[in-house]
Amino acid sequence: EAQVTQNPRYLITVTGKKLTVTCSQNMNHEYMSWYRQDPGLGLRQIYYSMNVEVTDKGDVPEGYKVSRKEKRNFPLILESPSPNQTSLYFCASRLRGVVSSYEQYFGPGTRLTVT
Amino acid sequence: EDQVTQSPEALRLQEGESSSLNCSYTVSGLRGLFWYRQDPGKGPEFLFTLYSAGEEKEKERLKATLTKKESFLHITAPKPEDSATYLCAVQAGNYGQNFVFGPGTRLSVLP
């Protein structure tokens, strides 16, 4: 089954404790992206990757890091989480390119709470 | 700056009562406009892509249309299972790498 998986699904942590949210896709997609979703603000792009070893900032990259060492994996790293990073996070993937018909597939989400 | 707004914020309909959701956008170099459905606690699910003014797409009770500045999602004779949040997004950037989402419209269809 074609899918994007994220782990963990739920995470409660404390300020300053480094954490990683994993994302994996089995569709051989070049493009992967991370979003955060907050009430009233919609989905906002954090980072994206056009291919292995190629990453770039989205609209809200502050406080986050990513890496793309393998095509299927795109982990999101919070080096020193703060309460304003409490949010619902989604990973997504699609075929690379400007062809708009390429559907973007989303993972099930990770709900992060930073106290 | 690329922006997407959606209206209304929330909509309650009786089963069978048709209506439309609006998505307005400002973007430099539109590559495509997307509609997604999102159920509570789940990731967005792809519905449609539109990329040129005048284009229309249909799927069951849903029909999406696109003009140069906005898109509409028409819902004909909705059923309770159509209740969800509907998200609009635009694809932009030289390589289509950026996606800007609207805040969504929360639709409730009452039996």
Side-chain angles (χ1 to χ4, degrees):
Chain A
E1 180 190 355
Q3 60 181 353
V4 178
T5 57
Q6 295 179 228
N7 282 292
R9 293 291 313 280
Y10 303 91
L11 180 58
I12 300 173
T13 189
V14 296
T15 299
K17 186 176 181 181
K18 181 180 179 180
L19 66 92
T20 299
V21 183
T22 64
C23 173
S24 183
Q25 51 94 4
N26 63 0
M27 295 167 280
N28 203 36
H29 287 164
E30 298 93 351
Y31 178 96
M32 297 185 75
S33 185
W34 275 102
Y35 299 86
R36 61 178 289 174
Q37 187 174 36
D38 302 289
L41 296 178
L43 283 154
R44 292 179 292 169
Q45 195 171 31
I46 303 171
Y47 269 94
Y48 63 90
S49 170
M50 299 289 279
N51 214 328
V52 176
E53 302 292 0
V54 180
T55 64
D56 210 344
K57 297 177 181 179
D59 294 323
V60 288
E62 294 77 19
Y64 304 95
K65 285 177 58 176
V66 293
S67 70
R68 188 89 182 274
K69 299 189 185 304
E70 303 170 281
K71 196 172 188 178
R72 64 182 290 125
N73 296 322
F74 190 44
L76 179 69
I77 303 158
L78 284 71
E79 295 266 358
S80 183
S82 62
N84 64 11
Q85 293 179 297
T86 293
S87 188
L88 180 59
Y89 291 86
F90 289 100
C91 180
S93 74
R94 70 191 292 266
L95 290 170
R96 184 182 63 184
V98 301
V99 178
S100 58
S101 60
Y102 291 161
E103 176 182 342
Q104 187 163 204
Y105 293 81
F106 283 83
T110 295
R111 186 166 292 282
L112 172 65
T113 301
V114 184
T115 62
Chain B
E1 182 183 343
D2 301 333
Q3 278 193 324
V4 178
T5 59
Q6 292 186 247
S7 62
E9 182 177 327
L11 181 63
R12 297 182 71 166
L13 299 173
Q14 290 296 133
E15 184 172 2
E17 179 186 2
S18 301
S19 188
S20 296
L21 313 182
N22 176 265
C23 170
S24 296
Y25 63 91
T26 54
V27 62
S28 54
L30 178 71
R31 299 292 187 181
L33 184 139
F34 300 80
W35 282 98
Y36 291 85
R37 170 192 170 124
Q38 186 176 24
D39 294 302
K42 295 189 175 182
E45 178 185 337
F46 172 80
L47 291 174
F48 302 110
T49 305
L50 305 164
Y51 61 90
S52 60
E55 188 175 2
E56 299 181 352
K57 294 273 181 74
E58 282 190 70
K59 180 179 181 180
E60 295 181 357
R61 295 176 292 282
L62 300 177
K63 179 180 176 181
T65 62
L66 181 66
T67 71
K68 286 187 177 180
K69 293 295 183 186
E70 59 190 350
S71 176
F72 292 93
L73 184 66
H74 307 279
I75 304 175
T76 302
K79 298 182 177 182
E81 53 262 42
D82 294 322
S83 297
T85 296
Y86 290 86
L87 304 174
C88 171
V90 295
Q91 180 187 12
N94 291 335
Y95 305 102
Q97 71 273 26
N98 299 116
F99 289 85
V100 180
F101 281 79
T105 292
R106 190 170 62 254
L107 174 67
S108 300
V109 182
L110 308 176

